[in-house]
């Protein structure tokens, strides 16, 4: 047993980037804010660069000052959605298949 909460344990023991990506898409956003240092360290230790990019975009969106339209600036929203699409592809295993295809 470690010092992590059970949901953070899932990330710590994720077998691959697809599982890490799925975890990032499912974890409550409040947990991303609250445990951001631990999550960052786990993603970094795993070498999950795409996950780190999505994580940073999510933190930026959650931390942004909202405008009169009650939304984060459009650049932050677009960055977040672009990163989310990439993570969704990884979670489905699509990015890994493409990487194998290029290597053949």
């Amino acid at each position: 047993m470690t010092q992590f909460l059970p949901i953070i344990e899932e990330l710590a023991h994720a077998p691959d980037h697809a599982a890490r990506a799925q975890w990032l898409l499912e974890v409550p956003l409040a947990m991303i804010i609250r445990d951001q240092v631990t999550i960052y360290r786990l993603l970094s230790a795993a070498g999950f660069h795409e996950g780190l990019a999505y994580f940073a975009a999510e933190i930026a969106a959650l931390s942004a000052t909202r405008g009169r339209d009650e939304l984060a600036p459009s650049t932050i929203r677009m960055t977040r959605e672009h990163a989310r699409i990439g993570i969704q592809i990884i979670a489905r295993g699509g990015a890994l298949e493409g990487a194998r295809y290029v290597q053949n």
Side-chain angles (χ1 to χ4, degrees), residues 26-104:
E26 294 174 353
V27 71
L29 296 176
M31 184 161 280
I32 285 180
I33 289 290
R34 188 188 71 199
D35 296 317
Q36 61 185 291
V37 172
T38 301
I39 295 168
Y40 177 85
R41 287 179 181 163
L42 291 170
L43 295 173
S44 292
F48 189 25
H49 303 292
E50 296 87 354
L52 286 166
Y54 169 73
F55 181 69
E58 199 66 78
I59 293 290
L62 292 168
S63 303
T65 301
R66 295 180 284 170
R68 290 182 182 204
D69 59 0
E70 301 177 6
L71 299 172
S74 61
T75 53
I76 290 177
R77 293 193 325 262
M78 288 187 302
T79 300
R80 179 186 187 193
E81 288 308 310
H82 179 74
R84 183 181 307 216
I85 290 167
I87 287 297
Q88 289 170 332
I89 292 168
I90 292 168
R92 290 191 303 261
L96 300 176
E97 290 175 17
R100 281 194 291 266
Y101 178 75
V102 171
Q103 292 173 355
N104 289 333

